[in-house]
Amino acid sequence: MEKIYGTTIRQDGLQRIGRDTWVLFFGLYETTDGGTYEYRHTFKHRPTLDEIKTVINAQLSADADERKRNGFSWQGVPVRYDEEAERNITGLSVKIPRLGAAMFPLQFKLGDYPDGSPAFYEFKDAEEFESFTDALLLFSQECYAQAWQAKAEIDWNKFTDAL
């Protein structure tokens, strides 16, 4: 789906704009700077409800993935939580019981600042690292819970009216 900025009202629905062209409108979201946007998707055929559901659900899942990957910060430091970071964090968590205090202090690259410079954080001890991993896990779960809730709240009748 494509983000269209400047929308001020939510207008979920499907609209025929040509002989074989249908536009799907979905959502109303706010940007960090206070702007707004909606999602739109153009079909070059009359879509089925299943096609509409696939497009919308895929977008909500992608939004949750992106929020999980780039939406968390620890002590003001941005965290990039992708597959590589997950493997690194899991690897360190496994070593803590064996190595204990010998691992700390531990400087760890959490992500990147908006200017592209690396974002490091120094964990003082195992407790602080465990607090970080617990918070990261809860944030990750929250991202997906929000997506599941958003999917459950969709009124699919708004899309079937145009079919």
Side-chain angles (χ1 to χ4, degrees):
M1 296 185 86
E2 181 181 4
K3 286 183 182 179
I4 304 298
Y5 293 90
T7 303
T8 58
I9 58 169
R10 186 171 182 142
Q11 53 185 357
D12 292 356
L14 183 67
Q15 186 176 30
R16 185 177 188 175
I17 62 166
R19 181 178 173 149
D20 293 321
T21 306
W22 299 75
V23 178
L24 169 65
F25 299 88
F26 181 73
L28 181 62
Y29 302 94
E30 192 169 326
T31 63
T32 55
D33 63 358
T36 57
Y37 66 93
E38 71 181 346
Y39 284 114
R40 291 186 195 168
H41 181 80
T42 302
F43 292 96
K44 295 297 181 183
H45 62 281
R46 183 179 187 167
T48 65
L49 183 56
D50 285 340
E51 288 175 306
I52 294 168
K53 286 181 178 182
T54 297
V55 168
I56 290 173
N57 286 328
Q59 185 62 58
L60 291 173
S61 293
D63 288 350
D65 290 341
E66 178 61 23
R67 204 168 32 254
K68 174 193 161 204
R69 195 170 25 260
N70 295 308
F72 185 72
S73 65
W74 177 256
Q75 307 295 335
V77 178
V79 176
R80 177 150 178 93
Y81 191 48
D82 55 13
E83 290 178 15
E84 179 183 358
E86 188 172 4
R87 283 191 306 271
N88 292 339
I89 291 166
T90 301
L92 289 171
S93 295
V94 168
K95 291 180 181 181
I96 288 175
R98 187 167 46 94
L99 298 175
M103 287 180 59
F104 297 94
L106 171 68
Q107 188 175 39
F108 193 78
K109 181 180 184 269
L110 297 180
D112 296 299
Y113 289 106
D115 67 1
S117 62
F120 291 98
Y121 185 82
E122 187 171 289
F123 294 97
K124 293 168 186 56
D125 54 35
E127 286 181 17
E128 185 181 26
F129 188 76
E130 288 173 8
S131 294
F132 163 73
T133 59
D134 290 348
L136 188 56
L137 178 62
L138 289 173
F139 177 77
S140 177
Q141 290 173 340
E142 179 184 308
C143 290
Y144 292 113
Q146 288 174 355
W148 299 328
Q149 183 67 33
K151 289 176 183 182
E153 292 175 353
I154 297 171
D155 179 4
W156 296 110
N157 291 325
K158 292 181 178 184
F159 305 100
T160 57
D161 293 344
L163 297 174

